[in-house]
Amino acid sequence: MARGFKRRDGRFVAKLDAVERGLVVGLMEQVLELVEPEPTAGNELDDDATDGDEFDRIVAGLGGIGMGVSLSAADQAPELSGSVPQPRDPALERIFPTANRQDDQVAAEFRRLTEDGLRARKAANLTTAITALSALEDQKISLEQPQALALLIALTDVRLVLGERLGLKQDDDFDRLEEQVSGLEDDDPAVYALAVYDFLTWLQETLAHALAP
């Protein structure tokens, strides 16, 4: 059974079993792929690179309950031909929100100047968190403060992406989704997806509390 983070002797300790830790690491690896710099021409990812996508598994079948969940921007627009760029993944808008909603040109220029640096910092935090959790040989997690801070930020980004995949945009969307899945079987993908989001929220809250002065 998972135990949330607590501060002990200057370190931040928690307990996650192998399945729970593997879930968190798998999600972070998917978000890392999302925030890393986009591949340049001639270095595109193969179509098979997304096989086994953790988000794909978690939100599989959610369209059946009326949430209209799409896993990528390409699912939300007609296929484009020629050299027209594909739509930007909406999850990226959650992680890198626009700086100016009134002026698209200003927002695009700001993004051009700052997004690479933001991507690098987020990728570094995700990598630190993944390395820290992957190095464990038992259920106990014991992190130094820099690792704990990186994990806190990484969990934020994972929750933002998963929230976008689940259609959680407004404050009451979680309650609405919870009500929609309340009558489903425990092994339904929608129930599992909501449980994962709830678990990540709980884990992040315990870590934030432990880090607080």
Side-chain angles (χ1 to χ4, degrees), residues 76-95:
Q76 301 178 15
E79 183 176 354
L80 302 178
S81 59
S83 59
V84 178
Q86 293 297 313
R88 180 177 170 91
D89 190 323
L92 290 174
E93 301 299 336
R94 298 287 293 273
I95 298 178

Side-chain angles (χ1 to χ4, degrees), residues 174-192:
F174 183 86
D175 293 335
R176 177 172 57 83
L177 179 57
E178 193 173 42
E179 181 179 352
Q180 286 182 300
V181 305
S182 60
L184 301 178
E185 298 295 330
D186 290 344
D187 59 352
D188 189 280
V191 176
Y192 175 66

Side-chain angles (χ1 to χ4, degrees), residues 156-190:
T156 297
D157 290 335
V158 170
R159 289 182 62 247
L160 285 172
V161 175
L162 185 54
E164 174 62 35
R165 299 294 192 256
L166 295 175
L168 304 179
K169 301 180 184 296
Q170 306 296 329
D171 292 341
D172 59 351
D173 283 344
F174 183 86
D175 293 335
R176 177 172 57 83
L177 179 57
E178 193 173 42
E179 181 179 352
Q180 286 182 300
V181 305
S182 60
L184 301 178
E185 298 295 330
D186 290 344
D187 59 352
D188 189 280

Side-chain angles (χ1 to χ4, degrees), residues 1-4 14-18 20 139-140 199 202:
M1 180 177 178
R3 295 179 182 173
K15 180 181 178 181
L16 296 178
D17 64 27
E20 293 161 340
Q139 297 186 17
K140 182 180 179 181
F199 171 74
W202 166 80

Side-chain angles (χ1 to χ4, degrees), residues 26 29-30 33 47-58:
E29 289 173 341
Q30 294 299 323
E33 290 184 8
D47 291 338
D48 294 336
T50 57
D51 288 352
D53 187 312
E54 190 71 15
F55 287 114
D56 196 355
R57 181 170 69 89
I58 287 175

